[in-house]
């Protein structure tokens, strides 16, 4: 069966079965050439199934469409149904796609191995989800925590006691007192170290990561500059002491 259509005419009383082949040729007489064409089949029942089949189109405006119902979409086999056929054309320079309703076609269900429509999915509200947060972690008793803190500080206390018994003298500190600039460098160096330790303590207790990185970048630079001066002074004093010992032995 052959039909010849001119826009906007439609085709009527068109039927097909599972063994038929539907062919459709067209020609676009327009300066704007389309780049994509398709035919949309929509079932005229409660399901409103849509089946899109691409059509080939050339730069000359000629194109063709071919549909083998035996190898077509499975939805065509869900019983005998009527479908509306809509021809769509689109392109890169076309703002609104061209739409042409070709008519209706009745596709009969196959007599052998008919397809079974899957059960219709019904969407409904589900029971409300109540999120439960994990309970807060139990902390160690303050008395136990304090006891272990004192236990950690015990070696430092023992170290200072042993130093006092041995009579250790901090002679480099005396030499620093004689030179104000070196004394300032030493104070800045030890203060920067204390500041770094305090930043670590703050990060452990209440400060977030990014402020900690900002503070550490400044304190580390101060510690490097002032520490270099202090270590240079200590090295010079050590070399001076070594030279004095060598003179006494000679």
């Amino acid at each position: 069966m052959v039909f010849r259509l001119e826009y906007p005419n439609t085709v009527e009383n068109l039927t097909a079965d599972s063994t038929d082949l539907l062919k459709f040729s067209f020609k676009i007489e327009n300066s704007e050439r389309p780049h994509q064409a398709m035919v949309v089949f929509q079932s005229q029942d409660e399901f409103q199934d849509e089946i899109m089949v691409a059509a080939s189109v050339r730069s000359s405006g000629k194109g063709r469409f071919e549909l083998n119902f035996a190898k077509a979409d499975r939805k065509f086999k869900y019983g005998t149904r009527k479908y509306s056929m809509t021809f769509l054309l689109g392109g890169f320079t076309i703002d609104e796609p061209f739409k042409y309703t070709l008519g209706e076609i009745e596709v009969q269900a196959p007599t052998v191995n008919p397809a079974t429509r899957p059960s219709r999915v019904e969407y409904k509200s589900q029971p409300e989800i109540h999120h439960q947060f994990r309970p807060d972690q139990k902390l160690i008793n303050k008395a136990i925590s304090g006891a272990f803190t004192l236990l950690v500080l015990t070696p430092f206390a023992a170290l200072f006691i042993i130093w006092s018994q041995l009579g250790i003298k901090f002679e480099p500190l005396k030499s620093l007192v004689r030179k104000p600039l070196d004394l300032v460098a030493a104070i800045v160096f030890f203060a920067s170290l204390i500041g770094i330790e305090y930043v670590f303590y703050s990060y452990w207790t209440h400060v977030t990561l990014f402020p900690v990185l900002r503070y550490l970048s400044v304190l580390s630079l101060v510690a490097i500059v002032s520490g270099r001066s202090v270590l240079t002074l200590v090295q010079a004093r050590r070399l001076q002491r070594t030279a004095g010992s060598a003179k006494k032995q000679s």
Side-chain angles (χ1 to χ4, degrees), residues 3 11 52 71 76 101 108 111 122 181-182 204 230 239 246:
F3 293 90
V11 65
M52 300 182 182
K71 301 179 182 179
F76 280 117
T101 301
Q108 299 177 357
T111 57
E122 296 184 0
L181 294 179
D182 294 335
W204 181 262
V230 173
L239 294 175

Side-chain angles (χ1 to χ4, degrees), residues 124-149:
K124 59 182 180 179
S125 60
Q126 298 295 323
E128 184 179 358
I129 299 176
H130 297 279
H131 184 75
Q132 296 181 354
F133 292 95
R134 182 180 298 177
D136 295 337
Q137 185 178 1
K138 294 183 179 180
L139 299 178
I140 302 176
N141 186 278
K142 292 183 178 181
I144 298 177
S145 179
F148 276 94
T149 302

Side-chain angles (χ1 to χ4, degrees), residues 58-229:
R58 301 177 181 176
S59 58
S60 60
K62 294 182 179 181
R64 60 177 300 178
F65 165 82
E66 187 173 305
L67 176 61
N68 187 351
F69 287 99
K71 301 179 182 179
D73 194 288
R74 186 179 179 83
K75 295 177 184 178
F76 280 117
K77 302 178 179 63
Y78 291 157
T80 301
R81 296 192 295 176
K82 278 190 175 182
Y83 298 87
S84 65
M85 298 182 296
T86 304
F87 181 54
L88 298 177
L89 283 173
F92 300 117
T93 60
I94 301 176
D95 296 332
E96 292 292 334
F98 173 72
K99 185 177 181 180
Y100 179 16
T101 301
L102 301 176
E104 292 185 350
I105 182 173
E106 183 180 86
V107 181
Q108 299 177 357
T111 57
V112 181
N113 298 326
T116 303
R117 171 178 286 278
S119 58
R120 191 168 185 175
V121 179
E122 296 184 0
Y123 297 95
K124 59 182 180 179
S125 60
Q126 298 295 323
E128 184 179 358
I129 299 176
H130 297 279
H131 184 75
Q132 296 181 354
F133 292 95
R134 182 180 298 177
D136 295 337
Q137 185 178 1
K138 294 183 179 180
L139 299 178
I140 302 176
N141 186 278
K142 292 183 178 181
I144 298 177
S145 179
F148 276 94
T149 302
L150 294 176
L151 184 62
V152 171
L153 296 177
T154 299
F156 295 97
L159 178 63
F160 286 112
I161 293 174
I162 294 174
W163 279 354
S164 64
Q165 295 295 326
L166 295 176
I168 296 177
K169 298 179 181 180
F170 295 95
E171 293 184 0
L173 186 59
K174 294 181 179 180
S175 64
L176 292 176
V177 174
R178 300 172 187 172
K179 299 179 180 180
L181 294 179
D182 294 335
L183 178 61
V184 171
I187 294 175
V188 172
F189 175 64
F190 287 108
S192 62
L193 294 180
I194 295 173
I196 291 174
E197 294 296 332
Y198 178 75
V199 169
F200 286 140
Y201 167 77
S202 300
Y203 176 64
W204 181 262
T205 55
H206 61 280
V207 181
T208 57
L209 178 61
F210 289 104
V212 166
L213 294 177
R214 185 167 59 250
Y215 299 147
L216 285 180
S217 61
V218 176
L219 291 173
S220 299
L221 182 61
V222 174
I224 291 173
V225 175
S226 59
R228 180 180 178 85
S229 176

